[in-house]
Amino acid sequence: MKSHQTAQTMKPATAAKKLGVYLDATPAEFQEGVVSRAELAALQADPPEWLRDLRNNGPHPRPVVASKLGVSISGLARGGITEALTTEQIDALKQDNPEWLQKERTTQADVRKENIRIKERNTEREAKDRDESA
């Protein structure tokens, strides 16, 4: 007996997140349906015009905005940015370089340095443990 395999599907919000786009800016057909893994793969491999436009011009979801500004999502919230922004708005923020953005970029850089330091320390410890057990 063969079992019928059903295609795995996901909600539009999940698909939008995986595509790195803001759900409310996607076409109605995308928002109202479900997306199969095959459809998601097809969208990633050969993005339609609407997807290319969203990725280039926005509006972008907060994780993308944070990445483009070099800050954390929490840093965006502390700076008062709670909505999706377009590429033009992100560029304007970079140009204006407000004090909160400078502070959050510094904080993010410090966090990255600390994460690298911890990773290097752990790698050294693992190497030392391997040497001692050998």
Side-chain angles (χ1 to χ4, degrees), residues 13-98:
T14 303
K17 187 174 183 179
K18 289 180 181 281
L19 292 169
V21 294
Y22 185 56
L23 178 62
D24 292 347
T26 61
E29 314 85 67
F30 182 85
Q31 293 180 36
E32 295 164 1
V34 293
V35 180
S36 71
R37 290 194 179 272
E39 291 169 331
L40 179 68
L43 286 170
Q44 289 171 324
D46 186 23
E49 183 63 34
W50 65 265
L51 182 54
R52 286 193 304 268
D53 186 50
L54 278 178
R55 285 178 170 168
N56 289 331
N57 305 317
H60 302 287
R62 287 183 306 138
V64 174
V65 173
S67 176
K68 287 180 179 276
L69 290 173
V71 300
S72 66
I73 295 172
S74 299
L76 281 180
R78 287 189 292 269
I81 307 294
T82 57
E83 297 298 318
L85 298 179
T86 63
T87 300
E88 188 176 307
Q89 291 169 315
I90 293 168
D91 291 343
L93 263 175
K94 286 180 180 178
Q95 191 71 21
D96 293 345
N97 201 17

